[in-house]
């Protein structure tokens, strides 16, 4: 059993295949089609789902948990809680997704015949741990594995537990053994486990047994993948899942980060989804280190799309890419109140607390520019770039003024402001990693004169805020991006850029996201 990874040998593809905050990937194949899901944490709708025909180029086709009956995230849900680590499988002509709502302390299973939805109401399982995964044996029994690592024999249609917990294999001794996935390959059951934590110590290890009950024999070359202790541009590699391609080759999807800046580096996009080929050697899976460019360069390309995204809000529904923290009540937004505009109604008076109206999308590139046309009316509205309620920068419009406000931990400050005309105003924010400091900046005095507050050459990136006036674009502030990073804010998510209103009602004519370069 040594299939060679022929699929994609004549192609080059760009990693990450899903750039931005798409962590904990899980993948399955149905015929010639591949489907992938990711964690969504405190954001709604939950569990984004993607489709691909080549493993390299992915398109979001919806969200698995897209209605209140499936996704309960109370107002008090903490940042980086909510929905953890889904697994997707295709079995008996049906798609299955199992995940954990850690806010409720419950696992849930939903199913669909069409992966684009609708998905069923949840079946709940009150079992411990996180990172559930499903596998079926030759007798038709379903095994659910969870972090720890242990398994349960269940009825996935009812949630009934027949057997368990069955101890399995908890890795090589690294902390937090998690993301266990079971696979039947030939005469063996393979158990893939991540360990070492989901930061720089992250690693993937493997074991095998003749039965899903074990005993499991560790692989001879564990961990089979880790970037710990290296200077590779991709770090924190782990939380992996395997898939056999239609041509018999094997592939692994996994999460990783791309930190920036001098020591210590900061990652701001969250944990992203990467892809690597797998080969089998003496009955064990072998993978090479993850790079940002993989394959045979110059002989073709795939998965190299720019991920441009402009929404003129002319459709009847919001696109699948739009997310909101915790909830998005129907009373908070409308595409019909003002046709061709997204209308947002304030549900909270501050972005520093949960409950405010935010409609955003993930930042997917280190260097990008986001612009929007905003009519704040008599209220307060604008653009925000955020990690959570305690870490966000906002460009807000209210009563003829535009200003940039930053919240970092317990500190809140206005960094720049200017007058703007009544009615709709075009605003923009951009992120820059290359040459974080302009060449004219050579001293701390230059920093102050340039309006670069707290920016240093060691930072991850610079975030610039602009307003379009009658004389062109006016820059209000440039802020250090490190304060909107996981290393500062903590948690499991990445940046989200979005539209918001904290007073009255505001309209957004369009929203445009462009990778730079």
């Amino acid at each position: 059993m040594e299939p060679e990874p022929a699929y994609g040998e004549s192609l080059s593809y760009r990693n990450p295949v899903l750039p931005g905050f798409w962590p904990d990937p899980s993948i399955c194949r149905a015929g010639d089609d591949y489907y992938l899901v990711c964690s969504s944490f405190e954001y709604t709708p939950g569990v984004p789902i993607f489709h691909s025909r080549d493993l390299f180029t992915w398109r979001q086709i919806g969200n698995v948990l897209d209605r209140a009956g499936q996704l309960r995230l109370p107002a008090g849900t903490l940042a980086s809680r909510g929905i953890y680590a889904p697994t997707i499988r295709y079995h008996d002509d049906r798609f299955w997704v199992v995940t954990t709502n850690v806010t409720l302390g419950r696992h849930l299973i939903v199913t669909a015949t069409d992966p684009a939805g609708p998905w069923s109401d949840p079946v709940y399982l009150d079992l411990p741990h996180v990172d559930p995964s499903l596998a079926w044996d030759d007798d038709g029994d379903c095994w659910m594995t969870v972090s720890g690592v242990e398994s349960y024999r269940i009825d996935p249609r009812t949630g009934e537990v027949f057997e368990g917990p069955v101890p399995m294999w908890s890795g090589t001794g690294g902390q937090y053994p998690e993301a266990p996935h079971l696979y039947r390959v030939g005469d063996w059951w393979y158990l893939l486990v991540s360990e070492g934590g989901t930061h720089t110590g992250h690693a993937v290890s493997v074991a095998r047994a003749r039965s899903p009950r074990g005993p499991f024999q560790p692989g001879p070359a564990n961990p089979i993948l880790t970037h710990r202790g290296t200077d590779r541009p991709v770090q924190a590699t782990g939380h992996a899942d395997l898939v056999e391609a239609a041509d018999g080759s094997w592939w692994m999807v996994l999460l990783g980060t791309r930190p920036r800046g001098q020591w210590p580096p900061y990652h701001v996009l969250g944990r992203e989804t990467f892809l690597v080929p797998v080969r089998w050697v003496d009955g064990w899976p072998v993978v090479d280190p993850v790079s940002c460019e993989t394959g045979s360069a110059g002989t073709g390309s795939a998965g190299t799309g720019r991920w441009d995204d402009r929404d003129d809000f002319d459709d009847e529904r919001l696109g699948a890419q739009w997310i909101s923290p915790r909830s998005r009540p129907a009373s908070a937004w409308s595409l019909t109140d003002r046709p061709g505009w997204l209308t947002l109604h304030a549900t909270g008076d501050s972005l520093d607390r949960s409950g405010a109206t935010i409609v955003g999308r993930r930042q997917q590139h280190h260097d990008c520019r986001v612009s929007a046309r905003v009519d704040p009316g008599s209220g307060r509205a604008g653009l925000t770039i955020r990690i959570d309620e305690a870490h966000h920068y906002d460009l807000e419009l209210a009563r003829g003024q535009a200003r940039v406000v930053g919240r970092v931990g317990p500190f809140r400050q206005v960094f720049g402001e200017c007058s703007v005309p009544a009615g709709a105003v075009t605003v923009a924010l951009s992120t820059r990693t290359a040459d974080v400091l302009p060449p004219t900046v050579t001293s701390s005095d230059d920093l102050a004169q340039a309006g670069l507050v707290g920016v240093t050459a060691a930072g991850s990136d610079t975030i610039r805020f602009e307003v379009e006036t009658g004389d062109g674009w006016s820059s209000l502030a440039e802020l250090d991006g490190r304060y909107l990073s996981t290393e500062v804010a903590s948690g499991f998510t990445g940046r989200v850029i979005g539209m918001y209103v904290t007073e009255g009602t505001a309209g957004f004519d369009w929203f445009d996201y462009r990778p730079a370069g």
Side-chain angles (χ1 to χ4, degrees):
M1 182 194 66
E2 295 188 14
E4 291 298 322
Y7 196 57
E9 279 186 346
S10 62
L11 292 171
S12 66
Y13 63 93
R14 179 170 297 165
N15 262 322
V17 290
L18 287 181
F21 153 44
W22 311 102
D24 307 326
S26 176
I27 191 171
C28 74
R29 178 173 66 88
D32 293 328
D33 296 280
Y34 303 90
Y35 299 94
L36 185 148
V37 294
C38 301
S39 293
S40 50
F41 297 98
E42 76 269 26
Y43 286 96
T44 187
V47 186
I49 183 167
F50 295 83
H51 169 256
S52 177
R53 296 299 298 271
D54 60 10
L55 287 169
F56 311 128
T57 307
W58 294 88
R59 180 178 65 90
Q60 188 176 0
I61 59 174
N63 295 278
V64 173
L65 305 179
D66 62 359
R67 59 185 187 271
Q70 300 170 310
L71 181 60
R72 290 177 52 205
L73 297 175
T77 298
L78 297 175
S80 289
R81 302 292 286 177
I83 299 298
Y84 278 24
T87 295
I88 186 169
R89 293 294 182 255
Y90 183 64
H91 176 75
D92 278 350
D93 298 322
R94 180 170 290 272
F95 293 91
W96 305 76
V97 167
V98 59
T99 188
T100 308
N101 187 330
V102 298
T103 300
L104 303 182
R106 309 181 81 184
H107 305 294
L108 62 96
I109 298 173
V110 293
T111 67
T113 55
D114 181 350
W119 289 76
S120 69
D121 289 335
V123 170
Y124 289 101
L125 297 98
D126 294 315
L127 295 172
H129 304 298
V130 294
D131 298 3
S133 182
L134 301 178
W136 284 262
D137 63 22
D138 292 341
D139 296 325
D141 289 329
C142 180
W143 292 88
M144 188 177 87
T145 54
V146 293
S147 62
V149 173
E150 58 193 31
S151 64
Y152 296 83
R153 186 166 59 90
I154 67 167
D155 183 340
R157 292 177 171 82
T158 66
E160 184 178 358
V161 179
F162 302 123
E163 181 181 355
V166 177
M168 302 178 77
W169 175 75
S170 296
T172 64
Q175 65 176 346
Y176 306 130
E178 56 192 2
H181 292 300
L182 267 176
Y183 314 90
R184 176 68 176 269
V185 183
D187 295 329
W188 291 98
W189 285 89
Y190 288 85
L191 174 63
L192 203 67
V193 171
S194 291
E195 55 181 325
T198 190
H199 201 244
T200 53
H202 217 186
V204 180
S205 299
V206 67
R208 69 182 184 183
R210 294 296 187 183
S211 163
R213 293 184 177 85
F216 284 89
Q217 169 194 355
N222 281 325
I224 61 172
L225 176 63
T226 185
H227 285 190
R228 63 193 180 201
T230 72
D231 61 355
R232 294 184 177 277
V234 180
Q235 288 292 315
T237 51
H239 205 110
D241 198 5
L242 296 174
V243 66
E244 184 180 12
D247 68 349
S249 63
W250 285 77
W251 295 82
M252 175 186 287
V253 293
L254 69 151
L255 68 77
T257 65
R258 291 181 290 162
R260 292 290 190 274
Q262 298 177 18
W263 181 257
Y266 301 81
H267 76 279
V268 301
L269 301 184
R271 298 168 302 155
E272 307 175 275
T273 290
F274 293 80
L275 175 75
V276 289
V278 177
R279 60 188 184 276
W280 293 85
V281 177
D282 296 329
W284 294 98
V286 176
V287 295
D288 293 325
V290 184
S291 65
C292 288
E293 293 287 348
T294 306
S296 304
T299 57
S301 64
T304 56
R306 285 173 47 87
W307 294 85
D308 293 353
D309 183 14
R310 181 183 175 93
D311 198 330
D312 290 299
F313 303 117
D314 294 326
D315 295 335
E316 296 180 355
R317 301 176 59 187
L318 276 176
Q321 77 274 25
W322 295 111
I323 55 176
S324 299
R326 300 172 190 83
S327 67
R328 188 193 297 156
S331 60
W333 66 279
S334 174
L335 291 170
T336 58
D337 286 356
R338 188 176 180 181
W341 292 65
L342 172 63
T343 300
L344 298 183
H345 305 283
T347 54
D349 61 4
S350 174
L351 298 187
D352 297 344
R353 297 182 292 275
S354 64
T357 299
I358 302 173
V359 175
R361 50 107 66 215
R362 293 158 172 86
Q363 180 184 341
Q364 295 184 264
H365 302 82
H366 288 103
D367 296 84
C368 68
R369 181 178 176 83
V370 174
S371 54
R373 188 143 181 90
V374 188
D375 183 353
S378 60
R380 185 181 304 276
L383 284 181
T384 183
I385 178 169
R386 74 189 301 271
I387 293 283
D388 57 29
E389 282 73 24
H391 301 84
H392 55 92
Y393 297 155
D394 317 315
L395 199 172
E396 68 177 29
L397 303 172
R399 288 174 277 282
Q401 290 287 313
R403 64 177 189 167
V404 174
V405 182
R407 167 73 189 269
V408 177
F411 305 107
R412 191 174 193 272
Q413 181 177 334
V414 176
F415 291 100
E417 56 189 325
C418 72
S419 298
V420 293
V425 178
T426 302
V427 297
L429 67 84
S430 57
T431 62
R432 184 181 72 247
T433 56
D435 300 323
V436 171
L437 296 182
T440 56
V441 174
T442 59
S443 68
S444 57
D445 289 340
D446 293 335
L447 280 173
Q449 292 177 9
L452 302 174
V453 182
V455 177
T456 75
S460 58
D461 61 345
T462 297
I463 306 175
R464 183 177 185 177
F465 299 86
E466 300 172 275
V467 176
E468 190 175 36
T469 66
D471 298 325
W473 286 98
S474 175
S475 178
L476 296 185
E478 292 200 18
L479 305 182
D480 193 325
R482 288 178 297 169
Y483 301 110
L484 304 186
S485 69
T486 298
E487 283 72 19
V488 172
S490 75
F492 300 121
T493 63
R495 287 181 186 163
V496 170
I497 303 174
M499 303 158 285
Y500 75 92
V501 58
T502 52
E503 181 183 329
T505 295
F508 296 82
D509 187 16
W510 49 263
F511 179 101
D512 190 84
Y513 177 98
R514 300 275 166 186

